[in-house]
Amino acid sequence: MGIGCFALLVAAGCFYKFAASFLAVLMWWVFFLEQSGYVNHMYLACLLTSLLVFVPADRCFSVTRWRSDATVPVWCVWLLRFQMGIVYFFGGVAKLNTGWLNGYPLRIWMHDRPPSSDAFGCSSR
């Protein structure tokens, strides 16, 4: 519930630094509480919320924008793009092995599903 409330405050731009800080702390807390091992999407969410603490992302499309004519510096946009680029690049490199290229993960994921007649999973009768 706390993560959702702080995420809404960050999205709206209300009390941005306070909300972004607590959102990052809560995201890392949930990440470290996870017992099932490394979850790369949660790690990415933690990294991005940590970056939101340091960039003034509340200056466009937010409540702050209504009060002044503030703009987001270009370095902030490129910092977030760079972080996403690193994640996608190394995620793609990690998948360049024979298992992924031969489709083994897809076979494992689809093993328990019954065959269907169309692409939407609906069987024709």
Side-chain angles (χ1 to χ4, degrees):
M1 170 131 172
I3 290 177
C5 292
F6 286 120
L8 286 174
L9 287 174
V10 168
C14 295
F15 310 107
Y16 177 76
K17 290 292 181 186
F18 169 79
S21 300
F22 277 95
L23 179 63
V25 167
L26 286 176
M27 290 293 286
W28 282 107
W29 183 56
V30 169
F31 177 74
F32 288 128
L33 283 179
E34 181 63 37
Q35 296 286 325
S36 66
Y38 178 74
V39 181
N40 58 353
H41 292 92
M42 186 65 179
Y43 184 63
L44 173 63
C46 291
L47 288 175
L48 291 176
T49 55
S50 297
L51 285 177
L52 286 178
V53 173
F54 301 106
V55 298
D58 63 330
R59 293 189 182 177
C60 288
F61 305 115
S62 69
V63 177
T64 306
R65 179 69 175 173
W66 296 341
R67 293 183 296 185
S68 67
D69 276 342
T71 58
V72 177
V74 129
W75 68 267
C76 299
V77 176
W78 281 105
L79 179 65
L80 294 171
R81 286 180 183 171
F82 179 71
Q83 179 64 54
M84 290 299 294
I86 288 174
V87 168
Y88 278 106
F89 175 76
F90 285 107
V93 169
K95 289 175 176 64
L96 289 177
N97 59 34
T98 57
W100 274 94
L101 295 177
N102 289 331
Y104 290 130
L106 186 60
R107 288 185 197 146
I108 292 169
W109 297 329
M110 301 299 282
H111 182 267
D112 295 333
R113 298 189 73 174
S116 63
S117 61
D118 67 354
F120 299 108
C122 300
S123 59
S124 61
R125 292 183 182 198

